[in-house]
Amino acid sequence: MKRALLAVVLASAGCMPVEMRDRTPGAATPAPPGATCKIEALGDLVGKRASDARADVMLARSGARTLRWIAPNDAVTMDFRTDRLNVYVDGASRIERFTCA
């Protein structure tokens, strides 16, 4: 009985909706030693429209290795990464705030 229940749980684990998965490339890879993210130099980007070009600027300024866009009602993972920049955008794709996690 326990084996059957375990098989059902393991089989259903791969059925998680795509929107619930972390979209950050290499999310399972731990941050390299010394990799950090800093948001101090990003304040002038608040209110600007989100874009790939701005993502490149944000990565360069923050020192982050990865960037994750977070829109209203997005589900995101709760794992903590010192090398990831989270960019929160509103419904109109305007940047609201930043966190490193």
Side-chain angles (χ1 to χ4, degrees):
M1 180 72 164
K2 289 182 182 179
R3 286 185 181 175
L5 180 59
L6 180 60
V8 170
V9 170
L10 291 176
S12 65
C15 299
M16 185 186 312
V18 172
E19 62 272 6
M20 296 296 289
R21 296 181 187 148
D22 189 350
R23 295 181 209 147
T24 306
T29 307
T36 59
C37 166
K38 297 181 177 102
I39 60 171
E40 292 79 17
L42 302 174
D44 63 317
L45 298 173
V46 172
K48 307 276 185 183
R49 184 166 298 282
S51 69
D52 289 338
R54 286 215 169 87
D56 292 339
V57 169
M58 290 183 274
L59 283 171
R61 285 190 196 176
S62 69
R65 201 170 102 187
T66 61
L67 180 143
R68 175 168 61 172
W69 298 104
I70 303 173
N73 300 315
D74 275 358
V76 295
T77 61
M78 297 292 290
D79 61 320
F80 181 76
R81 293 185 52 146
T82 58
D83 67 334
R84 178 174 54 204
L85 176 65
N86 292 313
V87 183
Y88 291 83
V89 296
D90 63 14
S93 296
R94 300 236 179 244
I95 298 169
E96 292 183 324
R97 65 187 173 99
F98 306 95
T99 62
C100 293

